[in-house]
Amino acid sequence: DDQVTTTSTVPFSLTASLSPRSSDAEDTGILQGNWDANSQLAVIKTGSSGVPKSILTRKTDSSDTFTGNLSTLVKNEIAVFYPAAAITANSSDTLTQTLNLSGQDGTLAGITNYDYLWAQCKAGMNETTGSSACEMTSLVTIGKFQFTVNGGSPLNNITRITITATAGTLYSSAVMKLKNGEFSSTQTGNITIKNKTGISGTTYIS
């Protein structure tokens, strides 16, 4: 288990930029390089053990600035991970993270829970405040599938889709090292999305 040390903190500001991955008008939000209003990032020191993680929240009046509090034990490099809700580490003792791709519902809103992003950057810290900036790297590929009836109108009420690889490798899960963004282990297999409500036409899969 993580050994979390109680430490003092200072206000911390992080500018986390995103590269757009879609120009389609319907792909609003993170795929166009724009953070959602309530986006959060997890920040973990990549060195000393016991340093607690921090959760930063996007400022309402800024496109890519996140704020929160960071331990004063952080002196240099940090790992940044999105989405913060998926992070399993509590402190810098655990510097691996599982990228779980099960449970997807195929929607644009739902894909943000599986659009894993990572960055490593240096934190500028002093006695009263800290800041940093980074360019987030996508750890997964987002697939956009459009289903139609004989090439015409959208296919409605899609409740289940299973994706398999006919060439190359399809990863169903992976474990990554937060300190450098490399995968320490991977698992191949199918990816299935389920949506009880039913999707019309366009489906997103990580």
Side-chain angles (χ1 to χ4, degrees), residues 123-147:
M125 302 287 287
N126 58 42
E127 295 181 355
T128 59
T129 188
S131 64
S132 187
C134 63
E135 172 76 27
M136 301 299 291
T137 298
S138 178
L139 300 172
V140 295
T141 298
I142 305 299
K144 180 180 180 180
F145 299 86
Q146 294 180 315
F147 298 92

Side-chain angles (χ1 to χ4, degrees), residues 2-203:
D2 288 350
Q3 300 298 315
V4 180
T5 301
T6 301
T7 68
S8 58
T9 62
V10 295
F12 188 79
S13 175
L14 173 69
T15 300
S17 55
L18 281 174
S19 296
R21 286 164 289 163
S22 174
S23 57
D24 291 352
E26 64 183 0
D27 296 340
T28 57
I30 198 168
L31 293 183
Q32 292 185 348
N34 302 313
W35 292 107
D36 292 332
N38 299 315
S39 295
Q40 291 187 315
L41 301 174
V43 176
I44 290 185
K45 178 175 169 53
T46 58
S48 309
S49 64
V51 180
K53 70 180 177 185
S54 294
I55 303 298
L56 307 182
T57 302
R58 178 182 174 270
K59 291 180 63 176
T60 56
D61 58 349
S62 174
S63 60
D64 56 6
T65 300
F66 292 74
T67 57
N69 294 306
L70 192 64
S71 169
T72 54
L73 294 178
V74 175
K75 303 298 182 183
N76 199 347
E77 290 187 345
I78 54 174
V80 183
F81 185 83
Y82 174 87
I87 200 83
T88 54
N90 289 316
S91 77
S92 57
D93 286 339
T94 303
L95 285 173
T96 61
Q97 172 67 29
T98 299
L99 309 184
N100 180 20
L101 299 177
S102 63
Q104 300 183 58
D105 68 0
T107 65
L108 179 60
I111 204 64
T112 59
N113 298 318
Y114 301 89
D115 192 6
Y116 298 114
L117 305 168
W118 170 89
Q120 184 183 54
C121 49
K122 292 184 178 181
M125 302 287 287
N126 58 42
E127 295 181 355
T128 59
T129 188
S131 64
S132 187
C134 63
E135 172 76 27
M136 301 299 291
T137 298
S138 178
L139 300 172
V140 295
T141 298
I142 305 299
K144 180 180 180 180
F145 299 86
Q146 294 180 315
F147 298 92
T148 62
V149 179
N150 297 323
S153 60
L155 179 64
N156 296 318
N157 300 319
I158 302 171
T159 58
R160 181 185 178 100
I161 299 173
T162 298
I163 305 297
T164 60
T166 57
T169 304
L170 179 66
Y171 297 109
S172 56
S173 67
V175 177
M176 67 161 291
K177 300 176 183 178
L178 288 168
K179 64 180 180 180
N180 58 19
E182 296 178 356
F183 294 136
S184 58
S185 66
T186 57
Q187 181 176 341
T188 59
N190 301 335
I191 297 176
T192 298
I193 69 160
K194 298 178 182 179
N195 192 305
K196 293 181 179 180
T197 303
I199 305 168
S200 177
T202 302
T203 301

